[in-house]
Amino acid sequence: MPRYFFHIHGGHSVLDDVGLDLPDIFAARTTAIELSGEILKHDVTEPFLRHLRWHVEISDSPEPGGQSLFVLQFSIAA
């Protein structure tokens, strides 16, 4: 089972150094959407929601520079 890493970027970065073993990229996409939903549920004072743009990068590596498999992007329009 491949391991996927969910890095969050926006103002500052939080790198996932543990990752999750998931059956395929479709399961990784579902997990990334669920993670993003949890981030969006938090109060607007949370660090990522203070920035107009942030994203969740799904990678094959816990380190920066790994292969980016896909990215979920979010932005706030005022």
Side-chain angles (χ1 to χ4, degrees), residues 55-76:
H55 65 274
V56 178
E57 173 194 15
I58 294 65
S59 174
D60 68 348
S61 172
E63 301 295 324
Q67 181 181 359
S68 181
L69 304 172
F70 63 91
V71 175
L72 294 178
Q73 297 182 350
F74 296 88
S75 63
I76 299 170

Side-chain angles (χ1 to χ4, degrees), residues 5-75:
F5 298 86
F6 300 83
H7 307 306
I8 305 167
H9 305 283
H12 69 282
S13 295
V14 176
L15 300 178
D16 176 5
D17 61 353
V18 176
L20 291 173
D21 291 327
L22 297 168
D24 54 35
I25 199 158
F26 302 107
R29 182 178 62 184
T30 299
T31 301
I33 292 168
E34 291 169 350
L35 170 63
S36 299
E38 289 301 314
I39 293 170
L40 290 168
K41 283 182 191 177
H42 287 279
D43 191 308
V44 294
T45 60
E46 289 298 314
F48 294 107
L49 298 182
R50 283 189 248 155
H51 299 280
L52 294 179
R53 297 181 191 275
W54 59 277
H55 65 274
V56 178
E57 173 194 15
I58 294 65
S59 174
D60 68 348
S61 172
E63 301 295 324
Q67 181 181 359
S68 181
L69 304 172
F70 63 91
V71 175
L72 294 178
Q73 297 182 350
F74 296 88
S75 63

